[in-house]
Amino acid sequence: MRDLHLSLNQTQRVRLEAALHELQSLAPAAASAAAVTVADTIPVNQEDNILKGHGTSDQDGEVVATLCGVVERVNKLVYVRTLRARYKPEVGDIIVGRVIEIAPKRWRLEINFSQDAVLMLSSMNLPDGIQRRRTAVDELNMRSIFEENDVICAEVRGFQHDGSLHLQARSEKYGKLERGQLLTVPPYLVKRKKQHFHHLAQYDVDLILGCNGFIWVGEHVVVGKKTKTTEDQQKSSDDAENFTPLETRKHICRLANAVRVLSALGFTLTVELIIETAEASASSNVEVNNMLGAEFYVQTAEREAKRRADLLRKKNGAR
């Protein structure tokens, strides 16, 4: 929210502040109690022989926080999890990146990390789909697979000795992404889940929530048809009418604007919340280009505050 700059009138400003205040009041009491700032004392039982983890320090026999965040406890380990942090890769993360360099037997990708990621030629499927050793001919044809500025989806395989990431794209669901928009959001707004690939059938759109904060919204691609032979690529390039339909492009832009609005408001990005925001704009007859206006930001904040209040009321009623 600190980076949100909108030209609000007096009424919109009051409504937005009221919605944000209600959202803050609806935050769980346990989470608020566990929040710490730098130099705050973390209450612990010294008899438990606790282990001091990341973001903690021992001063005068007390455990003191060295970061702003939330105190987490795992058995005897106590550490501070920062709420706003840069992307910290983990093996198995689904990421979206952009090719910035083609080097011998590898591509270098920008993935919103302190270092570039590396995708080796041997760590991906070849266009013909045949599993075989990579030859010098394959290395010469690397630019026909991925070239500079191509957007790619891949998985984190491991870390190299210099700290850079090693990626792999051996599955058919990974590879080059086309006919869509690449959005950049703070990585902490994308939580790690079992599923990061989403096919929104009602829009005929694919949504990929990259753990690194890169989000892809594009035309749906059937898995299995993404890898084409050279002849198929030539045929598709010769087909002048092979374009994304206008209605699908409108859906892509509407979903992308929904992501922009939610990201600017600081809401955690989930596929359900993105669809709900896009449908709310359509039902309110808000044009795609007007979704980034001040009024829709205020409406989105009010809608989210009402949704969380209803969830809390149902939870208390169930008890």
Side-chain angles (χ1 to χ4, degrees):
M1 277 301 301
R2 67 183 66 179
D3 299 327
L4 183 60
H5 302 287
L6 293 174
S7 56
L8 301 168
N9 58 37
Q10 186 63 27
T11 304
Q12 291 172 339
R13 190 178 303 277
V14 172
R15 289 168 55 198
L16 182 60
E17 290 177 354
L20 295 178
H21 179 73
E22 184 177 358
L23 285 169
Q24 188 173 4
S25 64
L26 291 172
S32 301
V36 293
T37 59
V38 177
D40 281 354
T41 301
I42 301 175
V44 295
N45 189 355
Q46 298 294 345
E47 297 179 356
D48 292 341
N49 297 323
I50 63 159
L51 300 174
K52 294 178 286 296
H54 179 69
T56 63
S57 177
D58 191 356
Q59 293 185 1
D60 300 330
E62 293 184 340
V63 180
V64 177
T66 59
L67 295 172
C68 297
V70 177
V71 178
E72 299 283 355
R73 303 171 188 268
V74 180
N75 296 330
K76 293 185 177 181
L77 176 65
V78 178
Y79 66 97
V80 177
R81 174 175 57 85
T82 55
L83 295 180
R84 297 193 174 209
R86 299 190 63 176
Y87 171 57
K88 295 181 180 179
E90 294 184 6
V91 176
D93 280 357
I94 305 299
I95 61 98
V96 177
R98 187 184 292 275
V99 178
I100 58 175
E101 181 186 356
I102 300 178
K105 297 183 180 180
R106 70 195 67 193
W107 294 270
R108 290 195 176 275
L109 279 70
E110 160 61 28
I111 61 165
N112 200 22
F113 184 49
S114 57
Q115 297 192 48
D116 298 333
V118 173
L119 176 63
M120 301 295 295
L121 178 61
S122 58
S123 298
M124 64 162 296
N125 290 334
L126 294 175
D128 54 16
I130 301 176
Q131 298 295 331
R132 56 178 173 79
R133 290 178 62 90
R134 275 48 170 178
T135 63
V137 177
D138 295 324
E139 187 175 352
L140 291 174
N141 293 331
M142 284 177 58
R143 196 174 294 275
S144 64
I145 304 174
F146 301 136
E147 58 184 9
E148 289 86 349
N149 295 321
D150 279 352
V151 180
I152 297 175
C153 179
E155 179 182 329
V156 177
R157 181 180 180 182
F159 299 88
Q160 295 187 331
H161 62 278
D162 59 351
S164 60
L165 292 184
H166 190 189
L167 307 178
Q168 67 94 6
R170 291 187 177 276
S171 174
E172 290 184 346
K173 63 182 179 180
Y174 303 134
K176 186 176 179 179
L177 302 174
E178 297 178 298
R179 299 182 184 179
Q181 292 190 29
L182 177 65
L183 308 172
T184 303
V185 303
Y188 59 83
L189 295 181
V190 181
K191 304 303 181 184
R192 290 180 174 88
K193 294 187 176 182
K194 292 183 179 180
Q195 185 69 8
H196 285 263
F197 295 88
H198 304 281
H199 172 215
L200 311 184
Q202 65 271 40
Y203 300 118
D204 195 29
V205 168
D206 285 337
L207 175 67
I208 302 177
L209 302 176
C211 295
N212 58 332
F214 284 175
I215 294 181
W216 176 260
V217 185
E219 183 182 3
H220 174 59
V221 176
V222 180
V223 176
K225 293 185 179 181
K226 186 177 294 186
T227 56
K228 301 179 180 179
T229 61
T230 305
E231 295 180 358
D232 293 335
Q233 291 177 350
Q234 290 176 354
K235 290 180 182 178
S236 62
S237 62
D238 293 338
D239 189 2
E241 297 182 356
N242 194 10
F243 293 110
T244 304
L246 177 60
E247 196 65 25
T248 303
R249 279 184 277 169
K250 289 182 178 179
H251 291 325
I252 292 173
C253 293
R254 188 174 293 277
L255 290 166
N257 282 347
V259 172
R260 293 185 178 99
V261 171
L262 295 172
S263 171
L265 291 171
F267 296 153
T268 301
L269 296 175
T270 62
V271 62
E272 295 81 10
L273 187 56
I274 294 172
I275 293 176
E276 180 183 340
T277 304
E279 290 180 346
S281 67
S283 61
S284 302
N285 295 323
V286 178
E287 295 295 334
V288 175
N289 56 330
N290 293 330
M291 289 179 64
L292 301 181
E295 179 61 25
F296 189 71
Y297 277 90
V298 177
Q299 292 178 1
T300 304
E302 292 175 339
R303 192 182 310 108
E304 179 64 12
K306 183 178 182 302
R307 186 184 70 86
R308 295 187 186 183
D310 292 341
L311 287 176
L312 184 61
R313 196 177 301 112
K314 289 181 181 178
K315 184 182 294 185
N316 294 335
R319 294 177 182 176

